[in-house]
Amino acid sequence: MIASLTQEQKDMLSVYRDKWLAIGLCTKPTDRKTAEEGVELAYKQSIKTKPKIVWCGSPLSSGLTRSVILNFKKLGVGASVRDSVGDSVRASVRDSVWDSVGASVGASVSDSVRDSVEDSVGASVGASVSDSVRDSVWDSVGASVGASVWDSVYGQHEAGWLGFYDYFNNVLKLESQTNPLSGLWMIAQSAGWFIPHENICWISERHDICKVNKEGKIHCDGGPAIHYPDGFSVWGLNGVRVSKEIAETPSEQLNAKLVLTEKNAEVRREIVRKIGVDLLCQRLGSKTIESGLDQVGQPCQLINLDLGDGQFRPFVKLLNPSIGTYHIEGVSPECDTLEKVFNFRNGTKEKPVIVT
């Protein structure tokens, strides 16, 4: 029964964090032999017979291929066994590990490992990369095929929680409790997503491009942030999925009027950040109505912008504290002074209509 972590064990936390972060973001060629051995082992551990393995170039082509094959029932594809090889295994390992660290100290030991390995790795690999890939697949093919991503086990993108239990296995020597994950560990370290069924398993190559910023969010200005061998790509700026046009067009050539037609506030923010708020305002023919300070003492401006129809409408230029740069947001046409803008923002009057 483990009561506490030794200093040596604590020192290994960062080692496993870095190990599994590298696995989750890995762009090396897929090791098919190891991945197939991992699939066979994962099926064996979930009391399933070895499946036929079909390799695909990306999670998108995996979903498309699965959708086509499922239309031919005579092939004996069988039902999805995602829970058997993924969620249920995780649950049983979790319970076994918890029993081994003891209820009285389990929370502190588990939280120490989780904070260093699962949460830090999962935030980058799971919440940013995996979610972006999943959402892009869904948007690319729609619900009829995109639903297959929910049947996927995310391979290398399961790095957060797999690294968590890898630490327990190797450092804390809870081997019998965590060995059921052996197949998933092998797949994660050698391949991408896979979709397990009773008699067949579709498995994807790893991405050959995966770029993130220093916060671990997908980001590439000038190309795809994520790219797979078959050409499937995801474009992103500072964790926000954007179009190829926005990501790859040089800032000096990017059409400033995109900020006026884009409906997603986060995408608008990245357009403004890429072009630069001053240059964007210049391109949109801004006219300053009033300059002053915002409610926390930062410089701000009330400006008019040409929305492309020959009419000027008011916007406020403010510092965005979350990213440390200025942005613009539309305000109600009746906001002709900064005082009125901040009265609206404080809720002392009816909330203004945002027109950006």
Side-chain angles (χ1 to χ4, degrees), residues 53-98:
I53 295 176
V54 177
W55 280 95
C56 301
S58 70
L60 174 60
S61 57
S62 293
L64 289 170
T65 305
R66 170 185 180 270
S67 180
V68 171
I69 292 179
L70 285 180
N71 288 324
F72 297 89
K73 296 182 180 180
K74 62 182 180 180
L75 296 178
V77 169
S80 171
V81 292
R82 181 191 186 282
D83 289 344
S84 296
V85 301
D87 292 347
S88 62
V89 176
R90 177 177 180 172
S92 64
V93 169
R94 180 194 62 220
D95 293 342
S96 296
V97 167
W98 188 262

Side-chain angles (χ1 to χ4, degrees), residues 16 20 113 117-118 158-168 185:
Y16 277 78
W20 281 92
V113 181
V117 181
E118 183 173 18
E158 306 268 11
W161 73 271
L162 287 175
F164 177 77
Y165 290 113
D166 186 29
Y167 175 89
F168 279 105
W185 281 327

Side-chain angles (χ1 to χ4, degrees), residues 35-160:
E36 291 182 5
E37 290 174 355
V39 169
E40 183 175 357
L41 182 55
Y43 269 68
K44 181 179 180 181
Q45 290 165 332
S46 59
I47 321 177
K48 299 292 179 181
T49 58
K50 180 182 177 181
K52 176 179 176 58
I53 295 176
V54 177
W55 280 95
C56 301
S58 70
L60 174 60
S61 57
S62 293
L64 289 170
T65 305
R66 170 185 180 270
S67 180
V68 171
I69 292 179
L70 285 180
N71 288 324
F72 297 89
K73 296 182 180 180
K74 62 182 180 180
L75 296 178
V77 169
S80 171
V81 292
R82 181 191 186 282
D83 289 344
S84 296
V85 301
D87 292 347
S88 62
V89 176
R90 177 177 180 172
S92 64
V93 169
R94 180 194 62 220
D95 293 342
S96 296
V97 167
W98 188 262
D99 290 341
S100 298
V101 296
S104 61
V105 296
S108 60
V109 173
S110 179
D111 287 349
S112 296
V113 181
R114 181 178 291 108
D115 290 346
S116 182
V117 181
E118 183 173 18
D119 290 349
S120 58
V121 175
S124 297
V125 176
S128 184
V129 179
S130 181
D131 287 358
S132 297
V133 171
R134 184 195 64 227
D135 293 346
S136 186
V137 170
W138 187 280
D139 292 344
S140 297
V141 295
S144 59
V145 176
S148 65
V149 301
W150 301 109
D151 285 332
S152 295
V153 183
Y154 300 139
Q156 69 180 123
H157 293 160
E158 306 268 11

Side-chain angles (χ1 to χ4, degrees), residues 268-320:
R268 287 202 307 270
R269 182 195 71 198
E270 292 307 317
I271 296 173
V272 173
R273 177 147 63 172
K274 179 165 181 172
I275 296 176
V277 67
D278 292 330
L279 182 57
L280 182 136
C281 289
Q282 179 183 328
R283 291 182 185 177
L284 294 177
S286 71
K287 297 180 180 180
T288 301
I289 300 173
E290 182 182 2
S291 298
L293 299 177
D294 65 17
Q295 294 164 300
V296 294
Q298 296 291 340
C300 64
Q301 287 184 324
L302 181 62
I303 59 178
N304 269 340
L305 293 180
D306 182 356
L307 300 192
D309 57 4
Q311 298 184 29
F312 285 84
R313 293 180 177 84
F315 288 73
V316 62
K317 175 183 170 184
L318 294 164
L319 180 69
N320 186 330

Side-chain angles (χ1 to χ4, degrees), residues 164-177:
F164 177 77
Y165 290 113
D166 186 29
Y167 175 89
F168 279 105
N169 180 276
N170 286 289
V171 179
L172 303 186
K173 303 303 180 183
L174 299 180
E175 297 174 358
S176 62
Q177 295 87 342

